Amino acid sequence: MVTAVLPAGLRDWREAPRVRVLNDRAVNVSGRYVLCWLQQALRARDNPVIDASILLGSALGLPVLVYHGVREDYPYASDRLHHFILAASRDLGTGCTKRGLACVHHVDRAGHREKGLVHRLGAEAAAILVEDQPTFVARWQSERVAARAASPVYAVEAACLVPPAVLGDDIRGRSGFLRRHEPERSNWVETEEVVPEQPAYAGTLAFTPDTLDTCDLDALVTSLEIDHTVPVSAMHPAGRGAAEDRLRRLVTEVLPGYASARNDATRADGASGLSPYLHFGVLGPREVMAAVAAADAGSRHKAKFADELLGWREWFHYQAQDLAAPERYDRVAGWAVDTLADHAADGRPELETLSAMLHGETRDETWNACQKQFLVDGWMHNNLRMYWGKRIIAMTPSPEVAWSTACYLNDRLSLDGRDPSTYGNIAATFAGSPSDRERPIYGRVSTRSDGSTRRRDGGDEWLAAAASRAVPRVSVPAEVPVDPYLTGEPTV
Ligand SMILES: Cc1cc2nc3c(=O)[nH]c(=O)nc-3n(C[C@H](O)[C@H](O)[C@H](O)COP(=O)(O)OP(=O)(O)OC[C@H]3O[C@@H](n4cnc5c(N)ncnc54)[C@H](O)[C@@H]3O)c2cc1C
């Protein structure tokens, strides 16, 4: 347990509750910069990790060096994910330059391998700031860096409007969460831009950075040793400009009818489609809520959107902070695990192969329509996701394999996967009410019908068309990996 206090520069910052001290090292007095190592919060403005780095740099009289790197061997590295990440990283660099900050990139690949680059950059740093991300490789990598670094490492929460730390650590259910979260929101909607006091870092570096703004990103992605069978998503163009377009679309087209249309999967303009940009931090929740507040839309629609973005998304972030491994089956409610285990030996006539599931070619038309959104679009409409998740329990040989399969399909294909919302929502598909009636395979875990889509005008036709979309043929592993995020080689 690290008990060190925050250093000058961060101590009095109004966003200080976002900061956690990860080790107890003293500032490296010969450091040449403050290192701001980003993994997922890929935006240049209103980014608490960057802002905290600038404040600490000013207190120490040092410039900030922002670093973002991508390797080929993180779980599920594919054209889809790499393309989205690299375009966001490129725009992060442009935005940092405009803010007067140095930002350097590294794309690890044959002929351009850099071993332990974060450690090498960290060795030249007075202090290191990292993101406080509770899922996927980010948390694990930050902790490894903190354990090895000779300088202090601070983790900064950048994903939520309300820093989870101000809510306390004793909330057990969503209604209790909302009771504390809702009154806090107004305290976090305003922010002041932190201005660097030092000129941009222009000194030597431990490596030769990539120049993403002038390189051909498509050619770069094609040259990498990653999964080329999962293609780029046409539905979710990459980069900050695309994210801003999507936010404008939310304000002008989606929000005015949001409360009524959001659950209708057959409508293209019912939901915001923001989740990929939020997951990679290309947009932050504060700027999204500011756009919503200023929009010409009814309060019913604004309240519904706030309930999704803040009431649900931040609840799952809050939960994940407290879990040692939010991506594991053991987070599922004990009674649900027990009732599913009681039915583990039940016959499973609807078992499907992994290939049929990956490609949306099972015997269930509705499920195929859902899965093809993940496969083709790299995203799925919210109203389809619960049906999709619950049906996997019947399509796989055991509840544990169902969990791993749901995580695998979501994480490999969806741009918003690998997120606290991924595992929190998948856990919700393994829930219901302990008083539900007992069914084969599911026990007292509730099932879900496809009626909310099928019963709409044109619902049958929409599902049939969605299920018959042409799909890319993706590689099929021999079996679904279990916890790929928690094992393997360090990637920093
Ligand atoms: C089985 C299952 C798996 C899911 N996997 C993911 C995932 O990997 N990543 C992810 O971000 N969301 C996930 N969700 C939640 C939700 O379905 C998506 O956030 C939403 O569909 C994204 O589309 P949108 O941006 O158009 O959302 P909108 O309906 O426009 O909502 C606006 C924003 O609110 C947030 N939000 C909405 N619903 C939820 C919710 N149920 N939980 C948490 N946040 C929410 C998202 O950030 C979303 O972008 C999952 C839900 C289920 C049932």
Side-chain angles (χ1 to χ4, degrees):
M1 167 101 177
V2 178
T3 53
V5 291
L6 290 185
L10 297 183
R11 216 175 294 143
D12 301 327
W13 184 33
R14 66 181 300 274
E15 306 255 352
R18 296 189 188 277
V19 187
R20 263 190 326 128
V21 185
L22 290 194
N23 63 12
D24 52 9
R25 314 290 191 273
V27 165
N28 171 10
V29 288
S30 55
R32 292 187 283 127
Y33 46 73
V34 168
L35 179 64
C36 171
W37 172 41
L38 297 178
Q39 299 193 65
Q40 210 176 298
L42 302 180
R43 63 183 181 279
R45 292 196 184 269
D46 191 16
N47 183 333
V49 199
I50 297 181
D51 290 348
S53 305
I54 296 173
L55 287 168
L56 187 54
S58 298
L60 297 171
L62 288 173
V64 170
L65 178 67
V66 179
Y67 167 70
H68 178 245
V70 194
R71 289 177 50 137
E72 293 170 315
D73 56 357
Y74 66 89
Y76 311 129
S78 65
D79 286 17
R80 176 170 296 169
L81 294 181
H82 252 73
H83 174 82
F84 201 86
I85 293 168
L86 288 176
S89 186
R90 175 199 60 204
D91 297 346
L92 162 77
T94 312
C96 284
T97 306
K98 283 192 192 144
R99 238 184 129 174
L101 298 168
C103 176
V104 291
H105 312 267
H106 173 63
V107 184
D108 209 62
R109 59 200 187 279
H112 300 263
R113 297 271 178 238
E114 295 287 352
K115 214 170 158 31
L117 187 50
V118 173
H119 294 293
R120 281 158 47 212
L121 289 170
E124 307 284 330
I128 305 171
L129 286 96
V130 299
E131 275 173 71
D132 207 356
Q133 265 293 343
T135 51
F136 201 52
V137 293
R139 175 196 267 179
W140 177 62
Q141 298 202 126
S142 299
E143 283 169 1
R144 288 186 82 97
V145 166
R148 268 183 63 183
S151 8
V153 178
Y154 304 103
V156 187
E157 200 285 326
C160 295
L161 177 74
V162 178
V166 302
L167 303 172
D169 59 4
D170 57 339
I171 303 174
R172 295 291 161 258
R174 198 175 90 99
S175 49
F177 170 80
L178 291 177
R179 270 197 300 280
R180 286 209 205 144
H181 193 268
E182 283 174 354
E184 274 291 342
R185 292 177 190 172
S186 59
N187 297 331
W188 301 94
V189 291
E190 302 287 336
T191 186
E192 264 176 38
E193 174 139 321
V194 179
V195 180
E197 289 176 8
Q198 313 297 320
Y201 179 73
T204 55
L205 287 168
F207 75 118
T208 306
D210 283 302
T211 44
L212 294 184
D213 48 350
T214 52
C215 90
D216 178 343
L217 283 190
D218 291 336
L220 176 61
V221 170
T222 305
S223 74
L224 301 175
E225 278 182 48
I226 55 176
D227 179 1
H228 295 299
T229 67
V230 178
V232 168
S233 161
M235 186 183 199
H236 294 285
R240 174 73 193 181
E244 288 173 358
D245 286 348
R246 194 54 62 89
L247 187 54
R248 274 191 289 276
R249 174 181 165 275
L250 167 69
V251 167
T252 55
E253 294 171 37
V254 177
L255 204 58
Y258 188 75
S260 335
R262 188 226 174 212
N263 284 337
D264 185 350
T266 68
R267 287 181 60 156
D269 61 351
S272 70
L274 287 182
S275 55
Y277 306 100
L278 287 160
H279 169 74
F280 284 109
V282 185
L283 292 174
R286 184 149 43 203
E287 65 184 313
V288 174
M289 286 313 295
V292 167
D296 185 11
S299 56
R300 180 168 78 95
H301 303 297
K302 292 184 181 184
K304 175 71 177 155
F305 188 85
D307 188 46
E308 302 301 343
L309 184 70
L310 305 179
W312 281 107
R313 180 173 178 272
E314 301 205 357
W315 165 230
F316 289 125
H317 274 264
Y318 178 86
Q319 280 187 332
Q321 311 272 336
D322 227 23
L323 293 167
E327 338 34 26
R328 281 202 177 137
Y329 183 58
D330 61 15
R331 70 174 290 165
V332 171
W335 71 264
V337 170
D338 290 346
T339 189
L340 288 165
D342 288 346
H343 289 267
D346 290 0
R348 283 170 157 71
E350 296 180 292
L351 282 186
E352 296 285 352
T353 64
L354 183 54
S355 177
M357 295 182 80
L358 262 170
H359 293 104
E361 293 170 346
T362 70
R363 287 160 286 173
D364 179 338
E365 182 186 68
T366 303
W367 197 88
N368 295 341
C370 305
Q371 173 64 16
K372 286 188 175 183
Q373 291 201 339
F374 264 175
L375 183 53
V376 181
D377 302 327
W379 174 89
M380 192 193 296
H381 191 278
N382 79 83
N383 195 251
L384 302 176
R385 294 197 197 207
M386 193 54 85
Y387 178 86
W388 171 88
K390 283 188 177 284
R391 290 287 291 135
I392 293 174
I393 297 173
M395 292 177 171
T396 48
S398 69
E400 292 83 357
V401 176
W403 174 270
S404 305
T405 305
C407 293
Y408 167 75
L409 296 173
N410 201 142
D411 286 350
R412 181 176 176 201
L413 301 176
S414 190
L415 284 164
D416 63 18
R418 308 156 308 280
D419 191 270
S421 297
T422 313
Y423 313 112
N425 277 289
I426 292 177
T429 67
F430 282 71
S433 157
S435 58
D436 264 15
R437 82 176 162 83
E438 195 101 1
R439 295 178 185 80
I441 302 171
Y442 289 84
R444 283 173 290 115
V445 165
S446 61
T447 55
R448 167 71 76 100
S449 88
D450 59 1
S452 62
T453 303
R454 205 167 273 289
R455 280 197 298 270
R456 291 186 187 276
D457 276 354
D460 286 338
E461 294 75 14
W462 185 86
L463 281 169
S468 57
R469 294 170 80 185
V471 294
R473 308 310 298 178
V474 296
S475 59
V476 182
E479 56 191 26
V480 165
V482 177
D483 295 342
Y485 345 89
L486 305 174
T487 54
E489 289 303 306
T491 60
V492 291

